[in-house]
Amino acid sequence: MPQSKKYGKGQRECRRCHTHRGVIRRYGLYICRRCFYEIGKEIGFRRYE
Ligand SMILES: [Zn+2]
């Protein structure tokens, strides 16, 4: 995964629902907050916080 480069003008897009709003790249997930929350429930992501 090309995470070594700082993202300049690269589009951040939710790779789950492809929205451009509220996308977070935390943990290299590149998903929007809504999906992050849903995925977090599915895989128990809260354990990493
Ligand atoms: Zn999403």
Side-chain angles (χ1 to χ4, degrees):
M1 292 168 60
Q3 294 182 24
S4 57
K5 290 174 61 179
K6 289 177 64 179
Y7 68 96
K9 57 184 177 180
Q11 280 186 312
R12 282 175 297 167
E13 176 183 277
C14 175
R15 65 182 188 181
R16 192 165 183 259
C17 69
H18 302 289
T19 187
H20 289 271
R21 297 189 61 183
V23 177
I24 53 176
R25 54 188 287 272
R26 198 175 185 182
Y27 312 115
L29 286 173
Y30 290 94
I31 53 176
C32 67
R33 297 184 59 146
R34 181 179 175 183
C35 291
F36 179 79
Y37 178 73
E38 294 181 2
I39 290 176
K41 287 195 304 183
E42 292 176 5
I43 66 176
F45 211 73
R46 294 177 59 135
R47 294 170 59 187
Y48 292 89
E49 291 186 333

